[in-house]
């Protein structure tokens, strides 16, 4: 039987649970990681930062307090690592949200300077704090104390969370629903942890953060399950889900494009260029190696001619023999009837 | 005025965290929209039982500190819900594993005898524990004491859990390689979490959050592989 100081047992328990959760997410993320996907790489960095934070939270519980072993410098160093890991994780969250919903790296690169400013300020403040104690400090008894600037430090850090929510909300307003991703699932455990940290003597933030990352990982897993790895479009599993969403009235298809793809050809360039020309309010499903469909929900006026021209141009440019045809929803047709008539679910 | 110890806070935080995580997973399952799949229904039942278990644990710990009038009765009720949930979760886990991989190792009465009967007997024992105190009981000062069947109950739980894992590991389809890693992670996490509860004196219960994590990761690990 091991005896741990009863005053720290709660912190050890909660931080151990968080470290276990984050360890699990990290291993699963490493196991699942696919090379070449920038969003996946950013998510991996985010998970590593959260794992480091959780481990630092666990370790520091053993070194805090007058009776604990270890020097003051060690406690300050671990606390600095903990604070920095939270900041870096939130920075990566913003990048991840950006890459997930926008799929536009050029815009992100343009905004990068602006996003880096708070991170640089926080890193500089953390380093300065080691020597000055202007944000937080440990007294001679190795007891933690916060200064007034800590609130400002936290607000700057949460700026990333606010920006991530803003990006998501703006995308949703402009493009309707963002499937398989909802930042609210991330926000709720973080808020829960922050409130617990205020009202209880135990740091609940780390556990809240770990739970948020577990839920985010699950959302990503669900998305991966419906994604065709080669093209990046949806796979055939998504068709049933799409049918249910159309029946529920969430989507109203107006136009269907059917592609007949050539066999044994490298189509990665075609898929990449197709993504660029298709409107935002649409879903593309790769049914099998030679068949693919795009369901368009928004306004289709003038779209058919424009898309026909673009697809033809891409085919010629890539020297691919891609055939395609259109089906337009008639006025007297219901969305469900239109979809079921033209798409065979499950095959 | 009640006084919550550091350990009580930790248990409450971990229980509410478990409930939060499971609720998130349930909402995600509904959003995913693949309704009617027997394995998903069975997984949903598993998640709901885990919430019940965590809620029972929470009620037990709060009453433990005499926070409410009739605290002894409420603490007993809370822990009864926790232990009943504990056993039902174990049975549901085995059921889920079998449904998920259409495992046909046992059939008919044998399956009933090995799967459901021990679960039903265990649940009945937990329910009558209110009168017998064989698994746990609270004394007049609302202090928790383990009973003679406490360790056998944990052993029964572990057997059910292992049987579920065995069912997954024995699956010979293409998904086998895909599930082994999450299985190992979850088994190690659970062993570590439960060992910590037993080996470190007065540490908080890792059962709900460990179990929730185990199920969620295993499910996520196998979901897209088959």
């Amino acid at each position: 039987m091991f005896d741990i100081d009863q005053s720290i047992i709660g912190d050890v328990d909660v931080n151990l649970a968080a470290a276990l959760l984050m360890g699990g997410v990290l291993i699963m993320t490493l196991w699942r990681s696919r090379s070449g996907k920038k969003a996946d790489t950013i998510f991996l960095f985010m998970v590593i930062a959260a794992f480091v934070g959780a481990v630092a939270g666990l370790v520091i519980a053993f070194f805090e307090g007058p009776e604990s072993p270890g020097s003051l410098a060690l406690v300050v160093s671990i606390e600095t690592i903990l604070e920095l890991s939270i900041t870096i994780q939130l920075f990566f969250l913003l990048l991840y949200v950006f890459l997930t919903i926008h799929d536009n790296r050029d815009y992100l690169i343009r905004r990068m300077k602006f996003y880096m400013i708070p991170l640089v300020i926080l890193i500089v403040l953390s380093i300065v704090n080691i020597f000055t104690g202007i944000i937080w400090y440990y007294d001679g008894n190795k007891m933690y104390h916060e200064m007034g600037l800590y609130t400002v430090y936290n607000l700057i850090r949460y700026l990333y969370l606010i920006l991530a929510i803003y990006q998501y909300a703006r995308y949703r307003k402009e493009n309707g629903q963002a499937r398989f991703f909802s930042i609210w699932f991330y926000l709720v455990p973080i808020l829960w942890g922050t409130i617990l940290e205020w009202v209880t003597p135990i740091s609940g933030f780390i556990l809240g953060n770990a739970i948020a990352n577990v839920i985010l990982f699950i959302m990503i897993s669900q998305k991966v399950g419906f994604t065709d790895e080669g093209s990046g479009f949806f796979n055939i599993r998504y068709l049933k889900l799409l049918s249910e969403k159309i029946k529920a009235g969430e989507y109203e298809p107006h136009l269907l494009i059917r592609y007949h793809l050539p066999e044994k050809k490298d189509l990665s360039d075609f898929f990449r260029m197709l993504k660029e020309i298709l409107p935002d309010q649409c879903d593309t499903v790769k049914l099998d190696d030679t068949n693919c469909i795009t369901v368009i929900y928004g306004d289709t006026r003038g779209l058919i001619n424009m898309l026909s021209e673009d697809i033809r141009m891409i085919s010629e440019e890539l020297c691919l023999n891609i055939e395609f045809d259109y089906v337009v929803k008639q006025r007297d047709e219901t969305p469900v009837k239109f979809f079921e008539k033209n798409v065979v679910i499950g095959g | 005025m009640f006084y919550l110890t550091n350990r009580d806070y930790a248990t409450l935080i971990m229980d509410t965290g478990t409930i939060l995580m499971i609720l998130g997973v349930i909402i995600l399952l509904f959003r995913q929209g693949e309704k009617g799949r027997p394995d998903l229904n069975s997984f949903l039942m598993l998640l709901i039982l885990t919430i019940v278990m965590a809620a029972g644990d929470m009620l037990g710990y709060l009453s433990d500190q005499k926070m409410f009038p009739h605290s002894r009765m409420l603490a007993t009720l809370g822990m009864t819900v926790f232990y009943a949930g504990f056993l039902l979760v174990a049975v549901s886990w085995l059921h889920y594993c079998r449904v998920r991989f259409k495992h046909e190792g046992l059939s008919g009465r044998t399956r009933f005898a090995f799967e459901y009967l021990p679960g039903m007997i265990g649940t009945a024992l937990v329910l009558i524990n209110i009168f017998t105190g064989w698994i746990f009981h609270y004394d007049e000062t609302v202090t928790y004491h383990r009973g003679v069947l406490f360790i056998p109950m944990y052993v029964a739980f572990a057997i059910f859990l292992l049987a579920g894992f065995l069912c997954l590991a024995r699956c010979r389809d293409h998904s086998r390689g895909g599930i082994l890693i999450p299985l190992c992670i979850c088994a190690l996490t659970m062993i570590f979490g439960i060992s910590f509860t037993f080996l470190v004196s007065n540490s908080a219960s890792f059962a709900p959050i460990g179990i929730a994590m185990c199920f969620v990761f295993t499910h996520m690990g196998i979901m897209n592989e088959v």
Side-chain angles (χ1 to χ4, degrees):
Chain A
M1 221 38 166
F2 303 103
D3 276 322
I4 293 179
D5 182 2
Q6 289 304 301
S7 61
I8 65 156
I9 191 91
D11 262 324
V12 171
D13 288 338
V14 170
N15 283 305
L16 178 63
L20 288 174
L21 281 176
M22 282 319 305
V25 174
L26 180 61
I27 296 170
M28 297 282 278
T29 309
L30 283 170
W31 173 55
R32 285 264 177 94
S33 65
R34 296 163 294 165
S35 55
K37 300 269 179 188
K38 280 199 168 53
D40 286 355
T41 313
I42 295 289
F43 180 74
L44 178 64
F45 287 151
M46 193 177 112
V47 170
I48 291 171
F51 178 66
V52 169
V55 172
L58 175 64
V59 171
I60 208 163
F62 288 99
F63 294 111
E64 275 183 326
E67 305 294 321
S68 311
S71 65
L72 184 65
L74 178 70
V75 184
V76 172
S77 308
I78 299 169
E79 182 68 30
T80 306
I81 292 170
L82 171 63
E83 295 289 346
L84 279 175
S85 65
I86 295 170
T87 307
I88 291 168
Q89 185 210 329
L90 291 175
F91 171 68
F92 282 132
L93 171 74
L94 175 65
L95 296 191
Y96 178 74
V97 170
F98 208 105
L99 286 171
T100 307
I101 61 176
H102 281 299
D103 202 18
N104 186 345
R105 278 158 216 153
D106 296 337
Y107 183 50
L108 177 65
I109 291 162
R110 284 205 301 275
R111 308 281 292 178
M112 202 62 172
K113 280 180 193 166
F114 170 69
Y115 292 151
M116 287 293 282
I117 293 168
L119 183 69
V120 172
I121 292 172
L122 290 170
I123 291 173
V124 170
L125 275 176
S126 295
I127 294 166
V128 170
N129 178 71
I130 297 172
F131 309 100
T132 59
I134 52 170
I135 305 166
W136 51 263
Y137 70 95
Y138 278 90
D139 61 19
N141 287 327
K142 288 193 283 175
M143 297 300 289
Y144 177 80
H145 299 279
E146 282 171 8
M147 300 293 281
L149 203 61
Y150 189 76
T151 314
V152 180
Y153 181 87
N154 255 342
L155 281 176
I156 300 173
R157 187 153 63 186
Y158 284 136
L159 201 67
Y160 285 124
L161 202 57
I162 294 163
L163 275 170
I165 295 164
Y166 170 71
Q167 290 290 351
Y168 173 74
R170 200 176 72 170
Y171 174 81
R172 197 169 169 154
K173 192 178 171 187
E174 287 172 2
N175 302 293
Q177 290 207 343
R179 276 141 289 166
F180 305 113
F181 188 79
S182 174
I183 201 153
W184 309 116
F185 285 103
Y186 197 85
L187 198 60
V188 171
I190 294 267
L191 285 176
W192 167 82
T194 310
I195 293 165
L196 280 177
E197 196 147 337
W198 285 338
V199 299
T200 69
I202 292 168
S203 51
F205 177 83
I206 300 283
L207 185 61
N209 190 29
I211 291 170
N213 280 306
V214 170
I215 294 176
L216 189 60
F217 174 76
I218 293 165
M219 277 195 278
I220 294 167
S221 300
Q222 287 189 340
K223 190 184 174 189
V224 169
F226 287 105
T227 306
D228 178 69
E229 209 166 306
S231 62
F233 290 122
F234 289 116
N235 60 21
I236 199 160
R237 276 185 71 192
Y238 182 69
L239 221 52
K240 195 180 167 194
L241 180 59
L242 183 61
S243 165
E244 282 179 11
K245 285 186 183 288
I246 290 169
K247 275 179 194 162
E250 283 181 46
Y251 301 130
E252 196 177 327
H254 288 100
L255 179 64
L256 184 86
I257 310 173
R258 288 188 290 220
Y259 311 88
H260 305 285
L261 309 168
E263 282 183 75
K264 294 172 186 171
K265 292 265 184 183
D266 181 16
L267 296 167
S268 52
D269 285 337
F270 171 71
F271 291 132
R272 183 176 52 78
M273 290 162 98
L274 187 64
K275 270 180 210 162
E276 285 167 15
I277 60 161
L278 286 172
D280 285 328
Q281 292 184 324
C282 78
D283 278 329
T284 303
V285 184
K286 196 158 176 279
L287 303 174
D288 53 39
D289 288 344
T290 54
N291 288 296
C292 188
I293 56 163
T294 297
V295 187
I296 297 171
Y297 310 115
D299 190 4
T300 55
R301 278 174 299 183
L303 199 67
I304 298 177
N305 290 338
M306 201 174 74
L307 281 176
S308 300
E309 193 61 31
D310 285 344
I311 295 169
R312 231 169 253 129
M313 273 173 65
I314 294 171
S315 306
E316 282 169 18
E317 195 183 323
L318 299 172
C319 302
L320 293 169
N321 181 26
I322 290 166
E323 294 167 15
F324 57 95
D325 57 21
Y326 294 92
V327 189
V328 182
K329 186 177 93 67
Q330 302 303 312
R331 284 192 175 189
D332 57 343
E333 235 174 354
T334 63
V336 180
K337 197 177 166 190
F338 168 70
F339 187 76
E340 285 181 348
K341 193 173 84 180
N342 297 296
V343 181
V344 181
I345 314 277
Chain B
M1 189 67 188
F2 58 86
Y3 171 74
L4 288 178
T5 62
N6 212 304
R7 181 209 183 194
D8 294 328
Y9 275 123
T11 303
L12 294 183
I13 288 172
M14 287 205 283
D15 284 340
T16 49
T18 306
I19 293 172
L20 194 69
M21 186 162 69
I22 298 280
L23 281 177
V25 177
I26 289 176
I27 295 169
L28 285 172
L29 275 179
F30 274 105
R31 267 166 54 109
Q32 188 180 318
E34 287 190 293
K35 293 165 194 145
R37 274 173 54 182
D39 61 324
L40 284 187
N41 292 342
S42 139
F43 186 63
L44 196 65
M45 176 58 74
L46 194 63
L47 295 180
I48 291 167
L49 283 169
T50 312
I51 288 184
V52 171
M53 187 175 73
D57 196 34
M58 213 155 56
L59 180 66
Y61 269 89
L62 286 175
S63 310
D64 210 336
Q65 297 300 328
K66 307 176 195 68
M67 284 184 76
F68 312 111
H70 310 294
S71 281
R72 189 182 174 196
M73 191 188 81
L74 279 174
T76 310
L77 183 71
M79 292 318 275
T80 303
V81 170
F82 170 70
Y83 285 121
F86 202 62
L87 281 167
L88 289 174
V89 157
V91 177
S92 301
W93 166 246
L94 182 56
H95 178 73
Y96 165 72
C97 293
R98 204 172 46 72
V99 171
R100 185 71 187 82
F101 287 100
K102 300 178 178 64
H103 186 70
E104 298 295 343
L106 302 172
S107 59
R109 285 180 186 175
T110 324
R111 179 182 296 161
F112 180 79
F114 281 100
E115 272 186 39
Y116 301 109
L117 201 60
M120 285 162 72
I121 293 169
T123 312
L125 279 173
V126 170
L127 292 176
I128 61 164
N129 172 71
I130 299 170
F131 309 104
T132 60
W134 288 340
I135 296 169
F136 71 93
H137 73 276
Y138 282 92
D139 62 18
E140 283 72 19
T141 58
V142 202
T143 306
Y144 175 84
H145 298 281
R146 288 174 184 177
V148 286
L149 288 181
F150 183 81
I151 299 291
M153 192 200 63
Y154 262 89
V155 172
F157 173 78
I159 289 171
F160 271 97
L161 211 66
L162 284 174
F165 281 133
L166 205 68
C167 191
L168 294 186
R170 280 186 63 190
C171 179
R172 289 181 185 196
D173 65 11
H174 63 285
S175 67
R176 191 178 172 183
I179 60 162
L180 277 178
I181 290 175
L183 269 182
C184 294
I185 299 167
C186 296
L188 285 174
T189 312
M190 282 210 70
I191 290 164
F192 184 73
I194 292 171
S195 314
F196 192 84
T197 312
F198 274 105
L199 294 177
V200 176
S201 61
N202 210 22
S203 76
S205 166
F206 272 82
I209 202 157
I211 288 166
M213 180 199 167
C214 174
F215 295 156
V216 168
F217 276 155
T218 310
H219 180 73
M220 284 302 135
I222 59 181
M223 188 138 176
N224 303 320
E225 298 297 327
V226 181

